[in-house]
Amino acid sequence: QVQLVESGGGLVQAGGSLRLSCRASGRTFISHAMGWFRQAPGKERELVAAISWSGSTTYFADSVKGRFTISRDNAKNTVYLQMSSLKPEDTAVYYCAAHYSGLRYVNLAALDFDSWGQGTQVTVSS
């Protein structure tokens, strides 16, 4: 498995933007689909966005469509989550996750992810 470290969380007012970063160790990053999950107080963990190994395919939860963008830079072993038009209900701990896909395409919404980061707190105030 790869080691993942998230960064970029913080406090932002409603309507603002924030970009999360997740850097992976190892030399097999290109073989992994990547995802962002979040868990809010009193709620179950939710997949909010995912991206294929090549970046050609993405997935977004209905709750964030049109507001969040996921991207990756394989040269930097990094995946990003750009969050815009943030709402108080976006407040959660956000986790980066990786799935070894072996340069094949998979159903991004139904993956059992192999590796997880420690999480970064995102708080949206009103």
Side-chain angles (χ1 to χ4, degrees):
Q1 64 179 28
V2 297
Q3 302 298 313
L4 306 173
V5 180
E6 303 98 333
S7 62
L11 176 64
V12 64
Q13 286 191 297
S17 298
L18 205 61
R19 187 179 75 164
L20 305 183
S21 299
C22 174
R23 185 175 182 180
S25 64
R27 297 183 179 181
T28 61
F29 177 75
I30 193 173
S31 300
H32 289 75
M34 302 295 296
W36 285 98
F37 290 78
R38 68 185 181 188
Q39 188 163 29
K43 296 184 178 180
E44 296 183 351
R45 187 184 63 190
E46 173 190 21
L47 174 65
V48 298
I51 189 167
S52 66
W53 64 268
S54 67
S56 63
T57 304
T58 58
Y59 164 85
F60 297 96
D62 289 342
S63 59
V64 305
K65 284 182 179 177
R67 300 189 298 117
F68 289 12
T69 298
I70 189 170
S71 61
R72 67 189 296 160
D73 185 340
N74 287 338
K76 296 182 178 179
N77 279 13
T78 302
V79 63
Y80 304 95
L81 184 68
Q82 178 66 52
M83 304 182 292
S84 301
S85 300
L86 283 163
K87 306 173 181 179
E89 50 262 46
D90 294 318
T91 295
V93 177
Y94 283 72
Y95 298 91
C96 178
H99 177 273
Y100 182 75
S101 303
L103 304 185
R104 60 186 174 88
Y105 289 97
V106 295
N107 183 355
L108 297 175
L111 294 178
D112 291 325
F113 284 84
D114 306 308
S115 304
W116 295 83
Q118 297 297 307
T120 185
Q121 176 70 46
V122 173
T123 302
V124 184
S125 65
S126 59

